[in-house]
Amino acid sequence: MPLLETKDLWVNYDFVEALKNVSIQADEGEIYSIIGSNGAGKTTLLRTISGLVKPKSGYVEFMGEKLPSKPHKIVQKGIVHVPEGRKTFSGLTIEDNLLVGAHLHKDMEESLETQYQCFPILRERRHQFAGTLSGGEQQMLAIARGLMSRPRIMLLDEPSLGLAPLIVNEVFDLIKRIRDMGITIFVVEQNARKALSICDKACVLENGVVTVCGTGSDLLESDVVRRAYLGA
Amino acid sequence: MQILQYLINGIALGSVYALIATGFSLIFNVLKFSNFSHGALMTLSAFSGYFIAAGNGWGLVPTILVSVLTGAAVSLFGEFVAFRRILTHNTSPVYFFVSSITLGTLYEGIVVLKVGANFYNYPRFFGKPYRIAGLFVARSDIIIFCISAAALLLLAYMIRKTKTGRALRSVSFDRDTASLMGINVTRTIQFAFIVSGALAGLAGVFLGINYTLYPTMGSIVVKGFIASVIGGLGSLPGAIIGAMLLGILETTLISIIGSGYAPVFTFVIMLVFLLVRPRGIAGSNIQEKA
Ligand SMILES: Nc1ncnc2c1ncn2[C@@H]1O[C@H](COP(=O)(O)OP(=O)(O)O)[C@@H](O)[C@H]1O
Ligand SMILES: [Mg+2]
């Protein structure tokens, strides 16, 4: 049984069909990636899984069960969504950002300590506003905040967006480490080369339709993908 | 010495403005809209304190409790009937404007139905003023100041230090992202309305104690709005400082130039202030987010 599965998802905004019949399956413990260009529907897919957007038809299953409809109930099930553009709470301190991430838990101090050990920079600056962090640090904070909820699966929306290449590498290394901790990763990316090189499985999303799926290395070598997404 | 006396007289009024301003700012902070029903809610709560408690010979504490509970309960009701659907559909802020004005008119209408255009007075809860070193200090002013200060300190503690307060702050920054953290956004907004309504109820009783009760007494919230703008919209400490300054300024002006000219001068000073420093005293960082 896959950990996360979408079944025939159709999602509309007023006049735009953003997802058309999307069925995908992510297994426990893997890095699963969706690549696609701007406007393909990647963000919509994540927002549908986390409950921010309601599908017109189709549904999402997690561990074989249909998900509840409210976002805060979905987090409770063990799915955390790190949104596009980080969306840290800029006017809250770094520590408060992390604590908000642990909203559903009682023993916050312990999780806080774990994250500070993982991200020493966040401990150093814990009393500063999140808005004072650089883009890369904000991405770290957004991921650490997500981990505070102790998820089974983390949904990441374009974690490399707007970051310098060196920082992008750091973020992807971090993603692998999180997977090694036993947390399943579902990452959507425009940066296809990077995403395909770290993922176990991937699908291509084009104009709301899933066109190709395969292992990361299969897709890296596929002619179609290379021409459309890797500039080769 | 005279200056000191004005200061003392202004503190109670300033405390009431502070309760109004923070109750108003709280909703503004969380939902980014001005709740124009706040004043009428205050009136409704103060009158229910009169009819349920004070008018039946109950004392000060039951009167305060009845008003505060009424404020909280009616505010919660208002959130559900007037704002919930606008919130969930993310429609234009104009609708908030219209619904809050409509709701306020409804509350005021209910009061008018019951009392007509009459003025009411709470029974005298307090004895003669204290005389300390040549200064008069009304007992009611002391109580009003102490209870208001306690309520506002409690509010500040709740917002800064508790889990609920953190949830409130994150919801006021970004509702969607807050919900992704497991926060129940609807509950959090309801909580903000309860607290805001309780503050309106408390302000209503205090106004009734120091002045009179009449159906349009809610129009005084304009002063609370002004205080929160002087303080820097969205900043709670700013709202409290603005309210205190306004209260003291007003009572001082009334003593010096009389109650006819005082409001004119008060508003002129406010306008000049806003011209010079439109961000208000605290110039909040909350605005920068967008
Ligand atoms: N809130 C919205 N209202 C209307 N259309 C939207 C909205 N969000 C996204 N869209 C449209 O849906 C499609 C998919 O968008 P999105 O999921 O953001 O793609 P991606 O994340 O892959 O760039 C695009 O055509 C976009 O214009
Ligand atoms: Mg996107």
Side-chain angles (χ1 to χ4, degrees):
Chain A
M1 180 179 64
L3 182 67
L4 182 77
E5 187 170 11
T6 72
K7 297 219 170 139
D8 310 325
L9 278 185
W10 289 79
V11 177
N12 282 18
Y13 295 106
D14 297 330
F15 301 107
V16 191
E17 286 198 313
L19 295 181
K20 298 168 221 171
N21 208 26
V22 171
S23 300
I24 47 156
Q25 303 183 335
D27 290 320
E28 175 122 47
E30 67 179 11
I31 297 181
Y32 190 96
S33 175
I34 300 276
I35 60 170
S37 43
N38 197 11
K42 303 182 298 298
T43 298
T44 304
L45 176 59
L46 292 197
R47 287 172 68 85
T48 310
I49 296 171
S50 61
L52 290 173
V53 170
K54 298 284 160 258
K56 191 178 75 176
S57 67
Y59 56 95
V60 183
E61 268 185 7
F62 184 61
M63 300 192 288
E65 270 178 42
K66 248 174 115 164
L67 281 175
S69 74
K70 289 270 177 354
H72 67 270
K73 292 261 169 65
I74 292 175
V75 189
Q76 254 165 19
K77 295 280 174 193
I79 301 180
V80 77
H81 177 174
V82 179
E84 185 176 330
R86 356 251 182 249
K87 299 286 171 64
T88 53
F89 301 110
S90 55
L92 268 63
T93 62
I94 285 152
E95 184 149 306
D96 277 345
N97 267 272
L98 292 171
L99 290 174
V100 168
H103 187 79
L104 294 170
H105 299 288
K106 289 231 154 58
D107 50 341
M108 298 176 162
E109 292 302 320
E110 197 183 309
S111 318
L112 201 57
E113 188 52 37
T114 313
Q115 296 316 319
Y116 282 153
Q117 254 159 31
C118 213
F119 306 96
I121 178 82
L122 298 183
R123 190 203 298 274
E124 258 169 56
R125 304 181 59 179
R126 63 181 185 271
H127 296 305
Q128 296 179 21
F129 289 123
T132 64
L133 294 175
S134 70
E137 290 162 348
Q138 294 214 18
Q139 188 62 61
M140 300 293 175
L141 175 59
I143 291 174
R145 182 182 64 177
L147 290 170
M148 289 290 286
S149 74
R150 297 184 212 146
R152 287 194 63 166
I153 184 168
M154 178 175 268
L155 316 176
L156 285 155
D157 196 341
E158 306 221 29
S160 75
L161 194 71
L163 301 182
L166 228 64
I167 313 288
V168 171
N169 288 340
E170 268 182 47
V171 170
F172 278 96
D173 283 343
L174 172 63
I175 291 172
K176 280 192 275 187
R177 285 209 304 277
I178 296 172
R179 187 261 322 264
D180 296 341
M181 284 156 50
I183 297 170
T184 307
I185 300 282
F186 191 107
V187 56
V188 308
E189 263 294 349
Q190 277 189 65
N191 187 339
R193 188 181 304 278
K194 208 63 206 163
L196 292 178
S197 68
I198 65 155
C199 72
D200 300 295
K201 258 195 262 143
C203 291
V204 177
L205 191 64
E206 242 170 72
N207 294 320
V209 180
V210 173
T211 51
V212 201
C213 289
T215 63
S217 43
D218 281 352
L219 291 189
L220 270 175
E221 278 153 28
S222 123
D223 280 344
V224 187
V225 172
R226 285 169 61 126
R227 242 178 280 119
Y229 298 99
L230 302 174
Chain B
M1 217 50 182
Q2 200 54 42
I3 292 285
L4 222 54
Q5 184 69 57
Y6 295 151
L7 212 74
I8 289 170
N9 295 344
I11 284 175
L13 187 61
S15 311
V16 175
Y17 289 162
L19 294 176
I20 297 171
T22 43
F24 175 78
S25 290
L26 189 62
I27 299 302
F28 183 87
N29 253 344
V30 176
L31 301 177
K32 310 292 172 281
F33 89 96
S34 294
N35 179 10
F36 292 108
S37 67
H38 199 72
L41 176 62
M42 194 180 78
T43 312
L44 188 70
S45 316
F47 269 103
S48 66
Y50 179 88
F51 284 109
I52 298 172
N56 292 330
W58 299 6
L60 176 67
V61 173
T63 306
I64 292 178
L65 284 180
V66 167
S67 295
V68 167
L69 289 177
T70 308
V74 175
S75 181
L76 187 62
F77 161 84
E79 186 273 332
F80 181 71
V81 298
F83 307 124
R84 176 75 57 85
R85 285 185 64 80
I86 304 177
L87 273 169
T88 44
H89 291 264
N90 265 327
T91 36
S92 149
V94 174
Y95 291 101
F96 282 122
F97 178 79
V98 175
S99 343
S100 70
I101 287 186
T102 311
L103 196 63
T105 313
L106 170 71
Y107 295 158
E108 209 174 289
I110 292 171
V111 172
V112 171
L113 271 182
K114 172 85 181 157
V115 306
N118 297 326
F119 283 59
Y120 285 73
N121 282 305
Y122 283 134
R124 290 182 62 85
F125 291 119
F126 301 99
K128 282 212 170 77
Y130 292 112
R131 223 190 140 144
I132 306 164
L135 297 168
F136 289 99
V137 188
R139 289 172 198 232
S140 59
D141 285 359
I142 297 175
I143 297 288
I144 288 174
F145 174 73
C146 290
I147 297 180
S148 305
L152 294 175
L153 283 174
L154 196 68
L155 178 71
Y157 175 81
M158 188 278 291
I159 290 178
R160 272 162 211 253
K161 300 285 182 204
T162 67
K163 193 174 203 172
T164 314
R166 256 194 316 270
L168 205 56
R169 282 182 287 147
S170 58
V171 167
S172 70
F173 263 94
D174 181 342
R175 256 175 267 159
D176 273 358
T177 307
S179 73
L180 294 181
M181 303 296 120
I183 291 169
N184 185 335
V185 173
T186 306
R187 287 272 171 289
T188 307
I189 290 173
Q190 283 179 320
F191 177 75
F193 272 90
I194 290 175
V195 173
S196 166
L199 290 169
L202 198 57
V205 181
F206 290 163
L207 275 176
I209 287 174
N210 262 5
Y211 304 93
T212 52
L213 297 170
Y214 54 98
T216 54
M217 67 189 266
S219 62
I220 200 170
V221 293
V222 173
K223 307 279 181 57
F225 302 163
I226 295 174
S228 60
V229 174
I230 299 173
L233 257 186
S235 156
L236 289 181
I240 294 172
I241 295 168
M244 282 301 179
L245 287 180
L246 184 60
I248 291 166
L249 177 69
E250 230 183 11
T251 41
T252 308
L253 283 176
I254 288 176
S255 311
I256 296 174
I257 60 177
S259 57
Y261 284 106
V264 179
F265 274 82
T266 311
F267 281 103
V268 168
I269 293 173
M270 294 306 135
L271 284 177
V272 171
F273 183 90
L274 290 180
L275 216 60
V276 177
R277 197 178 160 83
R279 301 179 288 137
I281 296 166
S284 75
N285 52 24
I286 289 174
Q287 242 69 352
E288 287 161 23
K289 163 224 151 188

